[in-house]
Amino acid sequence: MDFILIDGSYGEGGGQILRTTLCLSAITGRAVHIENIRARRKKPGLAAQHLTAVFAAAKLCDAELNGAELGSRTLRFAPRIKPRAGEYRFDVAEARRGGSAGAVSLVLQTVLLPLALAEGDSCVVARGGTHVPLSPSFDYLHDVWLPYLKLMGVGAELSLERTGWYPIGKGEVRLEIKGIPSGGRRKLHPLKLEDRGELIEVFGRGLAANLPEHVSQRMAQRAETLLRRKNMSCRIDAVPVRAACPGAGTFLVARYERALAGFGALGERGKPAEQVAEDACAKLLEHDHTSAAVDEHLADQLVLPCALADGESGFTVDPMTRHLATNAWVVERFGIAEVELISTSATAGLVRVFPSP
Ligand SMILES: Nc1ncnc2c1ncn2[C@@H]1O[C@H](COP(=O)(O)OP(=O)(O)OP(=O)(O)O)[C@@H](O)[C@H]1O
């Protein structure tokens, strides 16, 4: 069989190589063979979140699977049909005995584009971690990532049914996706975002689950105090919620005239609520000091949709990360686009994506 070979140890060598590969395999119908999955992680191979993404992507396009098990370092994934619109439910906890708080955001990012480019509407309900380390929080997906995808022509709505925190997870997110009409165009609009304009405001929330109400209030107040001290207009809400286990975090969005950027910090046992807010603010202020249009995480997440657009995209970012370079490499392996990463200073850069005709 003709398949694309992907080396999972390339560059960052993490789970994103796998997810981008799954997404593009489903969209293009090309079979893939991935080796050295998550080779640069402490515990290489498929973890619960990755395995859930594999099963989710396979479900959309009825893919033939080989190596889809926990800890597996190789995977063969061969779509049998075009992604099919429909109702889907995925639960990260089912991928591992004893459950998992693996990030639902990463699973949703894997299935959104194949379904947005499929004929007909879909609804995906995903259960797992909604605010967990090293992944986009629900707030980030909702406030930053999805608005950009909408700008590129994706019709989708996200809602949070229940938050899920480490180590139990059990949060739930619903994603409604508008597919394309029968015979419609399977392309997104390009994104041009080199100049972000002036900062308009910062908004966000201090979110605390199963903790005394003052925790969310202290995060919100501390964040507002710090941001106002920098003369930023801001509105940070205190949001107490219930969940399967305690958790807390501060999630902020910097809204510029033409851009959005998201930052967050998670609480942990022994870390004062004020410190959580300060960590989130520090990340936002660091970004604000640059002139980059998108934040470092969004940059790697935009490469894939930009590769599926019907024209050239460009955006500025600071810093350019290894995640970004690695995702650019995966996209190029599929031959669907060329990605140029142009350094404009020691850390900053301009990303240009040229989809193949
Ligand atoms: N705070 C954050 N806000 C938004 N996005 C984030 C944040 N932290 C991480 N991300 C995004 O989450 C993704 C993580 O990808 P990565 O390759 O590290 O794989 P992973 O599957 O999470 O796990 P592992 O690193 O264990 O392999 C990247 O797209 C990264 O930009």
Side-chain angles (χ1 to χ4, degrees):
M1 189 198 285
D2 177 29
F3 57 82
I4 299 176
L5 180 64
I6 302 286
D7 179 359
S9 70
Y10 183 87
E12 179 64 29
Q16 194 187 37
I17 297 180
L18 168 84
R19 290 186 301 273
T20 302
T21 299
L22 293 170
C23 181
L24 285 177
S25 173
I27 290 172
T28 61
R30 299 283 310 272
V32 290
H33 181 89
I34 316 172
E35 291 179 342
N36 305 321
I37 294 174
R38 298 182 62 247
R40 293 186 194 277
R41 295 297 182 256
K42 249 195 218 143
K43 268 182 92 178
L46 297 174
Q49 170 249 114
H50 311 97
L51 192 56
T52 309
V54 170
F55 289 138
K59 200 125 192 218
L60 306 187
C61 57
D62 193 20
E64 190 184 324
L65 291 175
N66 223 299
E69 50 201 70
L70 274 186
S72 177
R73 298 188 194 189
T74 58
L75 177 79
R76 203 175 271 239
F77 182 97
R80 291 193 185 93
I81 56 168
K82 283 187 191 166
R84 194 173 28 200
E87 308 245 326
Y88 296 96
R89 292 186 85 84
F90 306 116
D91 188 343
V92 180
E94 284 172 7
R96 198 178 74 188
R97 198 181 308 164
S100 163
V104 293
S105 53
L106 298 172
V107 178
L108 293 172
Q109 286 186 328
T110 310
V111 299
L112 173 81
L113 289 171
L115 290 175
L117 299 173
E119 284 179 8
D121 299 344
S122 297
C123 174
V124 181
V125 175
R127 295 187 79 188
T130 59
H131 297 82
V132 288
L134 305 173
S135 64
S137 63
F138 171 83
D139 297 68
Y140 187 89
L141 276 198
H142 182 271
D143 294 341
V144 181
W145 176 73
L146 195 59
Y148 275 106
L149 286 165
K150 286 184 178 177
L151 207 60
M152 298 182 74
V154 170
E157 295 301 332
L158 266 171
S159 53
L160 180 65
E161 308 292 325
R162 192 171 51 251
T163 61
W165 308 79
Y166 184 80
I168 306 282
K170 293 195 174 167
E172 187 170 305
V173 175
R174 191 183 185 82
L175 175 62
E176 309 267 356
I177 305 163
K178 199 129 197 70
I180 56 168
S182 172
R185 290 180 73 243
R186 290 172 199 272
K187 288 281 181 192
L188 304 180
H189 307 311
L191 187 75
K192 285 272 191 282
L193 201 56
E194 295 178 17
D195 171 16
R196 69 189 185 192
E198 294 297 314
L199 179 71
I200 309 285
E201 60 163 356
V202 178
F203 65 89
R205 50 205 74 90
L207 207 60
N210 304 9
L211 291 169
E213 216 166 303
H214 63 77
V215 175
S216 54
Q217 285 163 359
R218 280 161 52 208
M219 285 189 289
Q221 276 165 13
R222 184 68 184 145
E224 285 199 341
T225 305
L226 289 176
L227 297 168
R228 294 221 168 98
R229 229 179 251 166
K230 300 284 176 189
N231 293 321
M232 292 176 168
S233 153
C234 63
R235 196 195 65 241
I236 316 299
D237 299 322
V239 186
V241 290
R242 309 272 338 144
C245 67
T250 304
F251 306 96
L252 306 173
V253 179
R255 186 164 75 82
Y256 296 90
E257 283 171 300
R258 288 178 286 282
L260 294 165
F263 310 89
L266 290 167
E268 45 192 89
R269 202 181 277 273
K271 183 171 174 181
E274 289 76 11
Q275 184 64 51
V276 178
E278 284 164 23
D279 290 353
C281 289
K283 291 179 193 170
L284 182 141
L285 295 173
E286 199 178 326
H287 174 78
D288 191 61
H289 276 132
T290 73
S291 57
V294 309
D295 63 73
E296 63 177 289
H297 297 299
L298 192 69
D300 74 65
Q301 296 164 30
L302 282 179
V303 168
L304 177 47
C306 288
L308 299 168
D310 58 3
E312 177 192 331
S313 292
F315 52 86
T316 52
V317 61
D318 190 359
M320 290 209 284
T321 64
R322 198 153 70 147
H323 267 109
L324 168 62
T326 307
N327 226 16
W329 173 82
V330 179
V331 161
E332 289 191 332
R333 292 285 296 145
F334 278 79
I336 58 164
E338 280 183 22
V339 185
E340 257 181 38
L341 305 179
I342 304 156
S343 290
T344 51
S345 79
T347 54
L350 169 64
V351 181
R352 296 174 77 194
V353 184
F354 304 91
S356 312

